[in-house]
């Protein structure tokens, strides 16, 4: 007999004893007793046993365990070419969670999200709305390993990696999410629309408000996008400044 079977038997026996005692008590006060033969105590006991935890499972992990799983991940081909995984960083719980596409060369070399040119530019966007990764923002990416030559992550890579991000969002508990770029927007919102179409309105992910805007690298290449980005950042700031919307 396995340990679990023994626990089921012991629990089923205890449950039966309990129901017998209840029956006797009910008989004493004149109520109609339960018939123990109608109850499947073994089935009841099985539902009461604690679930076995799979150490590879993402659900139920804390942030440190999740990072450990990411560091040891080989679920897609990007694991073969990375120097470092890039898990993400910032403050928890976050007022704002920024989600980008995936690490570039500097992120891959350092293991830190958004530390290259686009990252510095992103920091300046956050500063413009009085926010930062040191005080109230958490920054992460759709994929945790660098796609070679900075190509877009492929759909199998996104599918393999996005469960990590989804668990990360649960743990970071942001009040609002800012998706930067089409790759991040399409992956989290499960749409094929580009940022041009998605920006300017609020979406929801698991009840959390979401705003999509252009990627800082794209804005560096095309300064005409600065104005729409600023409009989107103001939306985020206005949402967070509304007293009913957030913790301060
Ligand atoms: N671009 C991204 O989308 N993420 C990073 O971490 C860096 C550049």
């Amino acid at each position: 007999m396995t340990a679990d079977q023994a626990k089921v038997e012991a629990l089923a026996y205890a449950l039966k004893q309990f129901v017998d005692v209840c029956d006797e008590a009910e008989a004493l006060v004149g109520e109609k007793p339960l018939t123990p033969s109608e109850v499947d105590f073994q089935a009841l006991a099985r539902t009461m046993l604690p679930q076995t935890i799979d150490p590879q499972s993402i659900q139920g992990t804390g942030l440190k365990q999740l990072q450990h799983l990411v560091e040891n991940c080989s679920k897609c081909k990007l694991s073969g070419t990375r120097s470092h995984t890039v898990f993400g960083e910032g403050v928890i719980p976050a007022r704002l969670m920024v989600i980008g596409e995936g690490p570039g060369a500097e992120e891959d070399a350092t293991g830190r999200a958004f530390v290259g040119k686009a990252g510095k530019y992103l920091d300046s966007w956050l500063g413009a709305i009085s926010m930062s990764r040191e005080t109230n923002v958490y920054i992460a990416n759709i994929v945790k390993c660098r796609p070679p030559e900075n190509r877009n992550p492929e759909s199998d890579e996104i599918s393999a990696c996005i469960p990590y991000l989804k668990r990360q969002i649960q743990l970071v508990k942001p009040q609002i999410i800012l998706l930067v770029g089409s790759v991040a927007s399409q992956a989290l919102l499960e749409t094929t629309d580009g940022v041009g179409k998605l920006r300017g309105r609020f979406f929801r992910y698991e009840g959390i408000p979401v705003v999509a805007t252009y990627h800082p690298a794209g804005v560096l290449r095309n300064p005409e996008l600065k104005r729409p980005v600023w409009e989107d950042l103001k939306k985020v700031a206005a949402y967070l400044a509304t007293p009913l919307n957030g913790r301060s």
Side-chain angles (χ1 to χ4, degrees), residues 58-75:
I58 289 171
Q59 286 318 312
T61 55
L63 212 63
K64 277 256 167 318
Q65 291 162 294
L66 189 65
Q67 181 162 4
H68 183 75
L69 290 179
V70 167
E71 282 164 1
N72 292 288
C73 181
S74 55
K75 286 188 199 291

Side-chain angles (χ1 to χ4, degrees), residues 15-126:
L15 285 167
K16 184 172 179 312
Q17 297 290 75
F18 176 70
V19 171
D20 284 346
V21 170
C22 291
D23 283 349
E24 280 168 26
E26 280 171 348
L28 279 177
V29 292
E31 300 279 334
K32 179 183 171 293
L34 270 177
T35 320
S37 61
E38 287 169 6
V39 182
D40 183 347
F41 289 102
Q42 294 270 335
L44 191 57
R46 272 192 294 277
T47 66
M48 295 170 78
L49 276 190
Q51 297 299 305
T52 320
I53 292 171
D54 170 4
Q56 291 309 306
S57 160
I58 289 171
Q59 286 318 312
T61 55
L63 212 63
K64 277 256 167 318
Q65 291 162 294
L66 189 65
Q67 181 162 4
H68 183 75
L69 290 179
V70 167
E71 282 164 1
N72 292 288
C73 181
S74 55
K75 286 188 199 291
C76 84
K77 54 192 175 301
L78 297 181
S79 62
T81 51
R82 71 180 177 222
S83 304
H84 292 98
T85 55
V86 178
F87 184 66
E89 63 182 55
V91 174
I92 297 165
R95 299 206 78 201
L96 167 66
M97 183 165 182
V98 179
I99 301 175
E101 150 180 344
E106 292 186 55
E107 290 77 18
D108 178 63
T110 58
R112 295 189 58 206
F114 275 103
V115 289
K117 209 169 161 196
K120 293 198 173 67
Y121 191 35
L122 174 65
D123 285 337
S124 77
W125 292 5
L126 298 175

Side-chain angles (χ1 to χ4, degrees), residues 95-154:
R95 299 206 78 201
L96 167 66
M97 183 165 182
V98 179
I99 301 175
E101 150 180 344
E106 292 186 55
E107 290 77 18
D108 178 63
T110 58
R112 295 189 58 206
F114 275 103
V115 289
K117 209 169 161 196
K120 293 198 173 67
Y121 191 35
L122 174 65
D123 285 337
S124 77
W125 292 5
L126 298 175
I129 53 169
S130 305
M131 304 192 83
S132 73
R133 62 177 98 192
E134 287 81 29
T135 55
N136 45 20
V137 179
Y138 192 95
I139 299 181
N141 283 302
I142 296 289
V143 294
K144 311 295 191 203
C145 299
R146 181 190 184 204
E149 314 302 327
N150 293 349
R151 65 159 169 78
N152 284 354
E154 291 168 359

